[in-house]
Structures are given as C-alpha cells and as structure tokens.
C-alpha cells in the first residue's frame, strides 16, 4: 500500500507557473512508477506525465510537452510537476498516481491521491 498526498495547486493567470508536489508514504517510494493525471469538469481523466522508478524514462502528453516537467526525489518520497506557460485549458483537478509499471492510462495505476485544483484564468 502507498498513500499519496498532492499539494501546490491554486489560481494562476495564463502564462504563469505552478509546481505541484506529491508525497508518498507507505511502501518504498522508489519501487513505484509515478504519474500525473488531470480531470476537468465533464471530462474524462487524462494522462499528463509519468516518470519511471529510476527517473530514466519520462513520458508526457502532447498537450503539455515543452511546458511541464515531471521529476522525482526518491530520498524525499516526492514527485513534482513543474507547470510553466499555463493556459486556461490546463484548468483541472490534478492527481498523482503510483504503480509498478509506467503507463499512460488511468486504469494502469493502483494508487491515487485526492487531487489538487489548478485554475488558470485568462
């Protein structure tokens, strides 16, 4: 079992930046691939980024490539999502997720945080 707690969401103007954090507790953090997903009202949960256990393999959704950066600090049991050049369409609840294999679909992840709201105003 692993418990995930996100933080860092908020309200920001278009073009601004936010950094999300997700702290994991429970079993060994370095055993898990970590992913970030988001869900806007009325829409399905969608993949944002994922990082492998060692950090060697990183995946991004096309919509965030070049603007978002995922990273992890295994010593701090934390995964980050640095979000730059934010757009109104990035508005959503952002969730971190954990599992043993890297994937881009929500059902591949067994463990989820409660989510943090990101709102980008135009």
């Amino acid at each position: 079992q692993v418990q995930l707690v996100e933080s860092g969401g908020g309200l920001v103007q278009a073009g601004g930046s936010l950094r999300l954090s997700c702290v994991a507790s429970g079993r060994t953090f370095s055993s898990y691939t970590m992913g970030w997903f988001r869900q806007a009202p009325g829409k399905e949960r969608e993949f944002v980024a994922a990082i492998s256990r060692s950090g060697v393999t990183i995946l991004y959704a096309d919509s965030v490539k070049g603007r978002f950066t995922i990273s992890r600090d295994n010593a701090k049991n934390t995964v980050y999502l640095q979000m730059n050049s934010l757009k109104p369409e990035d508005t959503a609840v952002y969730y971190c997720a954990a599992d043993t294999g890297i994937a881009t679909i929500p059902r591949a992840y067994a463990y989820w945080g409660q989510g943090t709201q990101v709102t980008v105003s135009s």
Side-chain angles (χ1 to χ4, degrees):
Q1 289 282 350
V2 62
Q3 292 77 45
L4 305 172
V5 178
E6 303 97 333
S7 63
L11 173 64
V12 64
Q13 289 187 337
S17 298
L18 283 174
R19 188 175 83 155
L20 306 183
S21 300
C22 174
V23 179
S25 60
R27 297 187 66 181
T28 307
F29 177 73
S30 59
S31 300
Y32 292 94
T33 286
M34 300 300 297
W36 285 98
F37 291 78
R38 66 188 182 186
Q39 189 166 17
K43 295 187 177 181
E44 294 187 351
R45 193 167 297 190
E46 66 173 2
F47 171 74
V48 175
I51 186 167
S52 63
R53 289 171 287 183
S54 64
V56 170
T57 301
I58 291 177
L59 304 176
Y60 292 104
D62 288 343
S63 58
V64 307
K65 279 182 182 176
R67 301 188 298 122
F68 291 11
T69 302
I70 188 171
S71 62
R72 67 188 297 160
D73 185 339
N74 286 345
K76 295 183 178 179
N77 288 1
T78 303
V79 61
Y80 304 97
L81 185 68
Q82 177 67 44
M83 306 186 295
N84 299 329
S85 302
L86 282 162
K87 304 174 181 180
E89 51 263 44
D90 294 318
T91 295
V93 177
Y94 284 70
Y95 299 89
C96 72
D99 209 282
T100 54
I102 195 166
T104 62
I105 54 175
R107 66 175 181 268
Y109 289 81
Y111 304 103
W112 291 84
Q114 82 289 349
T116 185
Q117 176 71 46
V118 171
T119 303
V120 184
S121 63
S122 57

